[in-house]
C-alpha cells in the first residue's frame, strides 16, 4: 500500500514530532549522513541547531500532508526546496546518501515497532522526497545563485544599516519577495532578507538590516560590512503582494519589516491609479523610523499613499544625535506613540482592506491577533512565513 497506508505514514510523521524524541532522531540522522558521505559536512554551517530544527519541522509537515492525502503542496514545496538547495552546492549523489541515511536512522529510531508496511511507506516516501528535490534541481535552468558587490553601507541608527549592492547579473523578483543571503564574514550561514526596492534591470539591490542580539549574521552586516564585500544571494521566495483590483490596502511595518512593503509601494508608484494604501511604520524610538524621508517623498507625489509614523517612546535616547535626523517637515505627518497593534486597531478592524504585515514574528503575531479580534478576516491578512 506504501503511500496509501495512512497508519504507516502517521508513524513516520510522529517520529519527527517536535520535542526531545524528534530532535534526537534528526541529530542522529545528520551524524549518520555525515559519516556515510563526508563531503556533505562542508555544505552546512559549523552550528547545526537551526538546520536540524528546520529539517524536523519540514519533515513533520510533509508527512502530515501525506497522511491527509494532500500531495500537491508537499510536491511543490519539495521542488522549490530542491531548486533552492543548489546554492549550497548539493549534487545528485547527495540525495542518494540522504535517503539511505534517513531510512537507516528511522528504522533504528522506531525499533521493534518497525513493520514491513512501515518499511514500504518509508522507502516510497523517501524516494518521493529525494526524487522531487533532485528532479527539480536538475530541471532548473536559472542560476543557482547571484553574486554581488557591496557598493554602499549606511549606519542609519545604532542597530540599523542600509546596504546597497551591485549584482553581477540582474535578479528578477517580485516586489515583496525575500532571498537567502550569505556574507563573507559568516560563510555557510544563510539568512533571509527582503529587498527594499523592486527588481532593477541594472542589477542594483538594497537591504535594510537590524542587529538581532546574539545574531552573528545581522551583527556582521550592521557593524562589519564594507564596500567591496562580496555577497551571495539565492533565488527569491514568498508571495507577499498587493492586488491592485482587490480594494484598499493596510500595511503595518515594524522596523526593517518596512523593506518588502517599501518595495511594493515603490512598484505601485509606477501606476497613475492605485487603491488607497495606509502604511503604519513603527519602531521603538522616533530616530529609528529611518526611512521616513523617502516615504514622505513618495507620499507627496502619490495621493493614494498615507504614512503614519509610530514610536513606542515619546522621546529619543542620547545616542540618537549620532545618526541622521528623520524628523518630518512641520505639519506633514502626525507621529503617534504606542505599540503598533494598539495604534493600528485604535481605528477599527480594517476589515474592508487587504492587510499586509511585516516585522518580527512577535510583532506580526500580535498585530494579526489584534486585527482579527477587531473583526478583520484572517483570509485578508498576509505576511511572510514566521519560521523562514
Amino acid at each position: 500500500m506504501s503511500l496509501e497506508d495512512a497508519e504507516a505514514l502517521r508513524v513516520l510523521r510522529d517520529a519527527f514530532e517536535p520535542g526531545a524524541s524528534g530532535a534526537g532522531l534528526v541529530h542522529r540522522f545528520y551524524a549518520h549522513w555525515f559519516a556515510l558521505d563526508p563531503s556533505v559536512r562542508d555544505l552546512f554551517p559549523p552550528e547545526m541547531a537551526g538546520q536540524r530544527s528546520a529539517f524536523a519541522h519540514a519533515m513533520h509537515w510533509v508527512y502530515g500532508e501525506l497522511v491527509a492525502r494532500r500531495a500537491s503542496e508537499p510536491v511543490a514545496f519539495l521542488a522549490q526546496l530542491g531548486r533552492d538547495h543548489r546554492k549550497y552546492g548539493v549534487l545528485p549523489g547527495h540525495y542518494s546518501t540522504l535517503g539511505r541515511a534517513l531510512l537507516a536512522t528511522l528504522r533504528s529510531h522506531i525499533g521493534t515497532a518497525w513493520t514491513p508496511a512501515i518499511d514500504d511507506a518509508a522507502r516510497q516516501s523517501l524516494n518521493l522526497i529525494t526524487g522531487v528535490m533532485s528532479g527539480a534541481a536538475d530541471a532548473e535552468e536559472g542560476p543557482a545563485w547571484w553574486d554581488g558587490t557591496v557598493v554602499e553601507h549606511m549606519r542609519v541608527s545604532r542597530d540599523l544599516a542600509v546596504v546597497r549592492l551591485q549584482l553581477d547579473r540582474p535578479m528578477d523578483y517580485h516586489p515583496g519577495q525575500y532571498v537567502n543571503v550569505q556574507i563573507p564574514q559568516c560563510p555557510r550561514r544563510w539568512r533571509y532578507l527582503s529587498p527594499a526596492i523592486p527588481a532593477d534591470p541594472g542589477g542594483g539591490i538594497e537591504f535594510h538590516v537590524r542587529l538581532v542580539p546574539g545574531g552573528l549574521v545581522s551583527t556582521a552586516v550592521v557593524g562589519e560590512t564594507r564596500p567591496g564585500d562580496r555577497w551571495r544571494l539565492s533565488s527569491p521566495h514568498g508571495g507577499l503582494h498587493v492586488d491592485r483590483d482587490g480594494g484598499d490596502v493596510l500595511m503595518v511595518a515594524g522596523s526593517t519589516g518596512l523593506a518588502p512593503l517599501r518595495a511594493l509601494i515603490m512598484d505601485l508608484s509606477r501606476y497613475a491609479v492605485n487603491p488607497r494604501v495606509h502604511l503604519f511604520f513603527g519602531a521603538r524610538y522616533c530616530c529609528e523610523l529611518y526611512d521616513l524621508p523617502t516615504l514622505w517623498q513618495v507620499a507627496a507625489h502619490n495621493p493614494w499613499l498615507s504614512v503614519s509614523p509610530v514610536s513606542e517612546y515619546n522621546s529619543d535616547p542620547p545616542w540618537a544625535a549620532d545618526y541622521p535626523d528623520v524628523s518630518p517637515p512641520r505639519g506633514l505627518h502626525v507621529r503617534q506613540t504606542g505599540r503598533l497593534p494598539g495604534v493600528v486597531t485604535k481605528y477599527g478592524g480594517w476589515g474592508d482592506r487587504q492587510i499586509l504585515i511585516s516585522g518580527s514574528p512577535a510583532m506580526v503575531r500580535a498585530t494579526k491577533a489584534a486585527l482579527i479580534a477587531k473583526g478583520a478576516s484572517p483570509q485578508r491578512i498576509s505576511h511572510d512565513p514566521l519560521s523562514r
Side-chain angles (χ1 to χ4, degrees), residues 83-159:
R83 289 188 290 267
D84 195 46
H85 271 56
R86 296 178 303 146
K87 70 177 182 287
Y88 298 121
V90 174
L91 301 174
H94 293 142
Y95 288 107
S96 175
T97 56
L98 180 151
R100 288 161 53 195
L102 191 49
L103 178 64
T105 308
L106 279 166
R107 185 188 296 117
S108 173
H109 179 80
I110 294 173
T112 56
W114 190 266
T115 64
I118 294 174
D119 185 84
D120 194 26
R123 292 178 186 275
Q124 292 293 328
S125 59
L126 292 175
N127 284 342
L128 172 69
I129 291 168
T130 58
V132 170
M133 292 180 66
S134 179
D138 289 343
E140 181 61 37
E141 297 179 353
W145 59 73
W146 285 257
D147 288 330
T149 302
V150 174
V151 295
E152 191 171 7
H153 177 276
M154 295 178 292
R155 192 76 172 261
V156 295
S157 186
R158 185 176 64 172
D159 299 335

Side-chain angles (χ1 to χ4, degrees), residues 203-250:
I205 196 166
E206 176 177 316
F207 298 105
H208 300 174
V209 182
R210 180 175 181 174
L211 188 153
V212 177
L216 294 176
V217 176
S218 66
T219 299
V221 171
V222 173
E224 302 172 23
T225 293
R226 297 292 181 268
D229 285 357
R230 296 283 288 172
W231 285 21
R232 176 162 290 182
L233 282 60
S234 77
S235 54
H237 300 271
L240 203 64
H241 72 284
V242 170
D243 179 358
R244 292 183 59 243
D245 298 318
D248 293 338
V249 183
L250 168 67

Side-chain angles (χ1 to χ4, degrees), residues 56-79:
H57 178 82
M59 293 297 291
H60 186 263
W61 178 79
V62 167
Y63 274 112
E65 293 295 289
L66 293 178
V67 167
R69 298 189 179 181
R70 295 189 295 260
S72 59
E73 287 193 27
V75 166
F77 167 77
L78 292 167

Side-chain angles (χ1 to χ4, degrees), residues 285-347:
Y285 301 105
C286 315
C287 64
E288 292 181 316
L289 298 168
Y290 63 96
D291 207 43
L292 279 181
T294 301
L295 296 171
W296 291 323
Q297 186 175 19
V298 175
H301 293 88
N302 294 276
W304 47 265
L305 176 63
S306 299
V307 179
S308 293
V310 180
S311 66
E312 293 185 22
Y313 302 100
N314 201 34
S315 59
D316 282 334
W319 52 257
D322 297 333
Y323 299 97
D325 182 15
V326 297
S327 300
R330 181 179 293 274
L332 181 58
H333 289 285
V334 177
R335 180 179 55 83
Q336 301 178 70
T337 304
R339 293 182 178 272
L340 274 170
V343 172
V344 172
T345 54
K346 181 172 65 176
Y347 297 92

Side-chain angles (χ1 to χ4, degrees), residues 170-220:
M171 173 188 284
D172 187 23
Y173 58 87
H174 298 296
Q177 289 192 298
Y178 55 90
V179 299
N180 225 353
V181 174
Q182 178 184 241
I183 65 173
Q185 292 86 353
C186 302
R188 303 196 307 279
R189 294 182 176 93
W190 294 81
R191 293 296 182 271
Y192 287 113
L193 297 176
S194 297
I197 60 173
D200 175 13
I205 196 166
E206 176 177 316
F207 298 105
H208 300 174
V209 182
R210 180 175 181 174
L211 188 153
V212 177
L216 294 176
V217 176
S218 66
T219 299

